[in-house]
Amino acid sequence: MFANVLTVLGPSRARLLLVLAVLLAVLTPTAPGALAAGKPRAGATRPGAEVVAVTRVADRQVDLSVRSTALGGRTVDVRLLTPDGWNPHDRRHRQHWPTLWLLHGCCGDYTSWTSMTDLARTDSLRDVLVVMPEAGWNGWYSDWWNHGEGGDPAWETFHTGELRRLLERDWGAGPDRAVAGLSMGGQGALLYAARHPGMFRATAAFSGSAHPLLDDESVDRIMGFFAGQNTDPLRVWGDPVAQRRIWEAHDPYHLAKRLRSIPVYLSCGDGTTGPLDAPGATSALEADFNRQNHALAGELRRVGARHLTTHFYGPGTHGWAYWERELHASLPMLLGALGVDD
């Protein structure tokens, strides 16, 4: 059809139209990643992510400083726990490893899993590449709505697009992936597995925010988290009523059908004093997340989830002693999905 138009216009005007069409094609962003990331902040150069510094922090632990277009050109860190024999710079014999993504919770960062657990001493992880990305103090593993403007921060685009491609191209990550996380990161693990079908072979959430739209208490609590560090809570997913569609798109309960074909591990305490707590410790947050996880488990069963494992262990609060234990409990499932013996 375009060729017919050129014939009717004649040679001169046809050439002009062709030039304009080429310019329009060059200047118009068509990639989904470009649209999801919004407009990069001034100073951001080429699209995507690039490593600007590498720091070896301990045996088998390497920190990558990554500059990201999806984050407005900012640089954030990603910690890698590397497998035995890992040498991504050996171009002739480069190996790609099964990858376990571990997501931190609100108020934590990319160092949380190695500083708060025995992760680095876990022998069953010596045959996988463990990826622990920064996700912001309260980033919620989402591309923020920002009152309809999108843009920085776009954590989901950074993790599932930019960082994934970077790790697979240059740092030995293979195409077989599993994802797990705690609290905010538990929600992130469920969201990434549901919103990106086929990207992760299994997912696990420990004390995760599994159904933030459960009731007014759950909505109010997560809005309080959004407001951390003087952040306008409406920037993240908007108003829970006016932008309910966006909220539902980030609520694992409403995405349950997308999780029914992969192994899912859910665990949570009930917020009362447990065996790993100080005497008298309680947690209203854990009690709320416990109700949310029970609701998600019920919905997963309703939609026919094939491989659901739950460990609702009763007494227990929102703390690292439980999350370390639950990571170990879920590793056979996670590594089995990757074809790695625990």
Side-chain angles (χ1 to χ4, degrees):
M1 180 177 178
F2 187 66
N4 292 337
V5 172
L6 294 182
T7 301
V8 172
L9 289 175
S12 298
R13 295 182 66 185
R15 282 194 296 271
L16 176 60
L17 182 58
L18 182 59
V19 170
L20 291 174
V22 171
L23 286 173
L24 183 62
V26 171
L27 296 175
T28 302
T30 58
L35 295 174
K39 298 178 181 178
R41 194 169 58 185
T45 53
R46 58 184 184 178
E50 59 179 338
V51 173
V52 296
V54 180
T55 306
R56 182 170 293 278
V57 294
D59 180 42
R60 296 177 52 229
Q61 294 183 49
V62 175
D63 287 355
L64 307 180
S65 296
V66 181
R67 184 161 50 223
S68 162
T69 301
L71 301 178
R74 289 183 292 123
T75 297
V76 297
D77 291 315
V78 178
R79 177 157 293 180
L80 304 180
L81 179 65
T82 63
D84 292 338
W86 180 78
N87 183 7
H89 304 302
D90 184 350
R91 300 288 178 177
R92 294 183 59 189
H93 305 96
R94 177 184 292 176
Q95 186 170 350
H96 288 82
W97 303 84
T99 305
L100 173 63
W101 291 60
L102 287 181
L103 309 183
H104 69 77
C106 178
C107 318
D109 63 20
Y110 71 101
T111 68
S112 295
W113 277 105
T114 51
S115 63
M116 301 299 293
T117 74
D118 62 356
L119 178 78
R121 301 186 299 278
T122 302
D123 287 341
S124 60
L125 295 175
R126 302 189 76 94
D127 293 320
V128 299
L129 177 65
V130 182
V131 177
M132 294 159 280
E134 179 59 52
W137 190 85
N138 59 348
W140 293 94
Y141 297 91
S142 300
D143 290 358
W144 285 23
W145 181 62
N146 284 326
H147 300 282
E149 295 296 320
D152 181 26
W155 291 107
E156 183 176 6
T157 294
F158 170 58
H159 292 144
T160 64
E162 293 180 345
L163 180 60
R164 176 185 60 79
R165 288 190 291 268
L166 180 69
L167 294 174
E168 292 175 2
R169 186 186 69 218
D170 297 330
W171 299 94
D176 296 327
R177 316 172 199 90
V179 60
L182 66 99
S183 193
M184 176 183 81
Q187 180 175 344
L190 295 168
L191 287 180
Y192 283 2
R195 289 170 59 87
H196 300 272
M199 181 171 175
F200 295 102
R201 293 180 176 268
T203 184
F206 318 128
S207 303
S209 174
H211 185 12
L213 284 170
L214 175 65
D215 55 28
D216 288 345
E217 178 185 348
S218 298
V219 170
D220 289 345
R221 179 166 281 111
I222 200 167
M223 289 290 279
F225 277 115
F226 287 173
Q229 291 187 327
N230 299 315
T231 299
D232 173 4
L234 299 183
R235 285 184 58 200
V236 187
W237 301 331
D239 180 87
V241 176
Q243 280 76 45
R244 185 176 177 86
R245 180 184 59 81
I246 299 175
W247 277 71
E248 289 182 351
H250 294 87
D251 185 325
Y253 177 90
H254 290 280
L255 303 175
K257 287 184 178 181
R258 301 187 186 184
L259 293 169
R260 60 187 172 183
S261 63
I262 65 170
V264 176
Y265 183 98
L266 302 176
S267 68
C268 203
D270 64 13
T272 62
T273 308
L276 305 180
D277 293 309
T282 61
S283 172
L285 174 63
E286 189 76 0
D288 179 21
F289 285 0
N290 186 56
R291 293 189 293 271
Q292 294 185 30
N293 275 271
H294 275 279
L296 174 58
E299 181 66 4
L300 284 167
R301 294 188 184 100
R302 189 189 72 80
V303 300
R306 301 173 189 171
H307 309 288
L308 173 62
T309 302
T310 61
H311 186 204
F312 300 137
Y313 42 86
T317 62
H318 205 68
W320 276 102
Y322 295 101
W323 302 328
E324 179 181 84
R325 185 187 70 184
E326 293 307 304
L327 172 64
H328 285 284
S330 64
L331 277 178
M333 182 207 80
L334 293 167
L335 297 180
L338 296 176
V340 177
D341 294 331
D342 181 34

